[in-house]
Amino acid sequence: MFLVPFFTRFRTSLFKATTKPEIITKKNSQAAKKIIENFRLQVTKNSEPTNNTNKALEDINKTIQSDGATNQLLLKKSEILLSKGKIRQARQILQDVSQNKRDQKATTEAKKLLEISLLLQQEANENKFKKLVNDLHEIAHRYEKKLPLPEELLNDQDITPIVREEARLARSAELPKLSYELIDQILQSGQESPWLLQDKALSLSMMGQKSAALDMLRSLKKIAKGSKLTTSINKSIEYIKENSKYHQSKSKLYLAKQTQLIARTNDLDLEFIDDPSKIDNRNHIKFLIFRKARSVLEDKPKASLYLVNSILDYFQDDLAALQLKGEALAALRRSEEAIQIWENLAHSKDENIANKACELISQTLSLKAKQISANKPPKEALFFFIEEHLKLNLAPTVNDEVEKILTQLEPSNPDSSDPELQQHRIQLLFNTLVIECFETQWRDRGRLDASATAQKPGTISKTALEAG
């Protein structure tokens, strides 16, 4: 069944002797929090019998689809949506119900829920802003900086001028990546500011990304409003053109300064990198950082990722650094991001890089297949391994983990003492699965003609071993 009706029982007490939520929030934020807490508890409690709001929402949608929508069902649906944070979707439903003059009771309930939605939206905004502040502090901490962010700040409009100034100081201190990260964090939070975009372009230009910086400024100029902004953009374009070679010559110094700070905040020794004051074009800064990132990969994968990202900040096309970044991501259990990087490298013209990327992809997918085989049939795990390779346009090959799963599928013959023969049998079994996987895909896509599909699925695979 659906949610037990609790409109009069719950909402009457909820709003009894209260003013509008906006006023409550200003006078007593604890009262607003209590209203939200009670609302969520009641919605969960009434998602009977399993206390599963997802199941309750699914049931409501099925009933609406089969029997049509009623105000009561729509109110129940909006309550669950609000509890799940889907405020805009819930408000659209509630706005429609609140305007229904034929059902006064439903109209009243919808208006009360609309008031709660305002509190929920404000809570969401506050949580979003708190996360932004925490993220900014975390970025600054990596560079041993502290941001002057007073507690009375209420939103990202208030915080933007402070961050812009800190970003300017970071560029003056020859830390363009810190400037870039601070600005980008504000932009990702949803703040739209042409001044922030201009600062971002200046940061990129210092990091050797002249073309990207100029493209950003020229696009910004087309939509710029006001002579002050346009003048500032023009000055920034000229500055980048005139100083690009200078910043390029200083890139090793910028990289060294950035790396030293990141190393300290990650408890790494500084012996691996030269003193920034002694940096010149003869220093092999990139190699030294790469070597350190490789050495700490196993014990401190997060630090390794920060170091290799520093290399990529100034040398975006460094294939070895990209490969190592994928390894750091995989070590941090972010395998999908890792595979995305390796997928591009697997088709590189550099044969060594391409082969290593293919090996890393296969290794990562085989570990996933191993996890699948722990709870599901080994054939399903092997099909996953093969299909994921095919999606990436790569040839699946047998490695140690895959071989273990294959032996689950068909144990080795204890009477056979010839290891070469056993290896041949394993490879033949794997090839058979690859053929069967292709056969299934082609059939699903309608690529086999009518006469071919008349034969039973797996016909090829059943004869493949004997044919081999």
Side-chain angles (χ1 to χ4, degrees):
M1 295 298 291
F2 301 113
L3 301 177
V4 176
F6 66 96
F7 301 108
T8 54
R9 171 165 52 86
F10 170 54
R11 297 196 189 98
T12 301
S13 60
L14 186 67
F15 287 92
K16 187 177 181 180
T18 63
T19 55
K20 286 188 176 180
E22 296 93 327
I23 300 175
I24 293 173
T25 307
K26 291 178 182 178
K27 291 184 176 180
N28 188 350
S29 61
Q30 292 302 318
K33 290 179 181 178
K34 191 64 177 177
I35 290 174
I36 292 172
E37 181 182 350
N38 288 341
F39 169 75
R40 288 187 174 128
L41 286 172
Q42 196 66 41
V43 172
T44 303
K45 180 181 178 181
N46 284 277
S47 300
E48 295 178 346
T50 61
N51 287 344
N52 187 332
T53 54
N54 289 329
K55 180 63 168 60
L57 185 59
E58 182 182 342
D59 288 343
I60 290 172
N61 285 332
K62 286 181 180 178
T63 301
I64 290 175
Q65 188 174 9
S66 61
D67 302 335
T70 65
N71 286 335
Q72 196 75 352
L73 282 173
L74 292 173
L75 287 168
K76 291 176 183 178
K77 180 177 180 178
S78 63
E79 285 173 341
I80 297 176
L81 290 172
L82 286 174
S83 71
K84 295 171 71 65
K86 299 181 179 181
I87 300 172
R88 182 180 298 179
Q89 190 176 344
R91 284 184 64 84
Q92 289 176 344
I93 296 172
L94 293 170
Q95 291 286 3
D96 292 338
V97 177
S98 68
Q99 294 172 9
N100 188 335
K101 297 180 180 180
R102 295 181 179 179
D103 190 341
Q104 192 59 44
K105 182 179 178 181
T107 298
T108 302
E109 303 301 343
K111 288 179 179 178
K112 289 177 179 179
L113 282 175
L114 283 169
E115 290 177 328
I116 286 183
S117 74
L118 294 176
L119 292 178
L120 290 168
Q121 186 61 64
Q122 182 169 328
E123 179 192 58
N125 292 339
E126 289 174 355
N127 290 338
K128 181 181 177 182
F129 182 68
K130 287 177 183 177
K131 183 180 183 304
L132 170 61
V133 172
N134 289 336
D135 289 343
L136 289 169
H137 278 303
E138 185 180 334
I139 291 169
H141 173 72
R142 290 203 298 268
Y143 296 85
E144 296 187 333
K145 304 292 181 184
K146 288 187 177 180
L147 298 180
L149 299 177
E151 293 183 2
E152 63 267 18
L153 288 170
L154 297 176
N155 53 54
D156 47 10
Q157 283 83 5
D158 294 334
I159 208 173
T160 296
I162 298 173
V163 171
R164 282 197 67 208
E165 176 60 17
E166 290 301 308
R168 185 191 67 78
L169 292 173
R171 294 195 297 273
S172 298
E174 298 181 321
L175 292 171
K177 183 59 187 300
L178 171 57
S179 172
Y180 175 90
E181 286 195 70
L182 291 173
I183 293 163
D184 197 53
Q185 194 65 55
I186 294 282
L187 290 169
Q188 287 184 28
S189 74
Q191 174 69 287
E192 296 179 1
S193 166
W195 296 99
L196 282 171
L197 290 171
Q198 180 183 230
D199 292 344
K200 183 176 180 179
L202 290 170
S203 305
L204 284 172
S205 70
M206 289 183 68
M207 293 158 62
Q209 300 183 43
K210 174 185 173 183
S211 297
L214 289 175
D215 288 344
M216 187 179 295
L217 289 174
R218 285 165 182 155
S219 298
L220 186 59
K221 185 178 177 181
K222 293 178 182 178
I223 59 174
K225 296 180 181 179
S227 58
K228 184 178 179 180
L229 176 59
T230 302
T231 300
S232 182
I233 292 172
N234 286 332
K235 287 182 179 179
S236 295
I237 290 174
E238 289 304 313
Y239 173 83
I240 291 173
K241 288 179 178 178
E242 293 173 3
N243 291 276
S244 62
K245 290 184 178 180
Y246 169 78
H247 291 310
Q248 189 65 39
S249 68
K250 302 272 283 184
S251 61
K252 287 187 177 181
L253 172 62
Y254 299 159
L255 176 56
K257 282 190 171 185
Q258 175 177 318
T259 303
Q260 268 202 341
L261 294 172
I262 288 174
R264 277 204 291 263
T265 54
N266 283 276
D267 298 323
L268 301 178
D269 66 82
L270 299 178
E271 296 177 1
F272 73 95
I273 190 167
D274 297 333
D275 186 337
S277 63
K278 300 177 182 178
I279 295 291
D280 58 34
N281 289 329
R282 291 171 295 179
N283 295 81
H284 300 291
I285 297 297
K286 184 173 68 168
F287 168 75
L288 296 173
I289 298 171
F290 181 89
R291 185 171 64 181
K292 187 65 174 180
R294 170 65 70 186
S295 69
V296 301
L297 175 62
E298 186 174 344
D299 296 330
K300 295 184 176 181
K302 194 171 184 179
S304 179
L305 180 61
Y306 285 143
L307 290 175
V308 77
N309 273 338
S310 291
I311 295 174
L312 293 168
D313 289 337
Y314 300 91
F315 304 93
Q316 296 84 35
D317 299 324
D318 190 295
L319 300 182
L322 282 167
Q323 177 185 295
L324 182 54
K325 179 176 181 176
E327 293 180 65
L329 288 169
L332 291 167
R333 298 186 178 182
R334 294 160 61 179
S335 57
E336 290 184 4
E337 296 174 67
I339 290 175
Q340 196 171 20
I341 291 174
W342 294 330
E343 179 185 359
N344 294 327
L345 296 178
H347 303 288
S348 168
K349 294 180 181 179
D350 186 317
E351 188 174 342
N352 291 330
I353 290 290
N355 290 339
K356 184 61 178 178
C358 290
E359 179 187 330
L360 289 167
I361 290 173
S362 184
Q363 178 183 332
T364 302
L365 291 176
S366 66
L367 291 174
K368 284 190 173 185
K370 179 182 178 181
Q371 293 174 349
I372 294 172
S373 68
N375 301 308
K376 296 183 179 180
K379 189 172 184 179
E380 187 171 337
L382 291 166
F383 265 24
F384 162 82
F385 178 80
I386 296 168
E387 288 169 354
E388 290 301 310
H389 274 81
L390 298 180
K391 287 178 186 176
L392 299 172
N393 199 26
L394 299 175
T397 56
V398 178
N399 59 27
D400 290 343
E401 293 298 337
V402 171
E403 186 170 336
K404 290 175 184 177
I405 303 173
L406 283 165
T407 55
Q408 293 177 37
L409 186 65
E410 188 173 311
S412 58
N413 186 355
D415 297 331
S416 176
S417 59
D418 188 342
E420 186 175 343
L421 186 61
Q422 287 287 356
Q423 195 64 39
H424 177 70
R425 188 189 65 83
I426 287 289
Q427 185 63 57
L428 196 58
L429 178 59
F430 183 73
N431 292 347
T432 302
L433 290 173
V434 173
I435 293 171
E436 187 175 339
C437 190
F438 269 120
E439 184 184 22
T440 302
Q441 286 190 356
W442 289 340
R443 182 175 292 103
D444 290 343
R445 294 173 186 173
R447 291 186 178 177
L448 295 180
D449 59 32
S451 60
T453 55
Q455 63 183 354
K456 294 181 179 180
T459 301
I460 299 177
S461 60
K462 288 179 181 178
T463 59
L465 280 172
E466 294 182 19

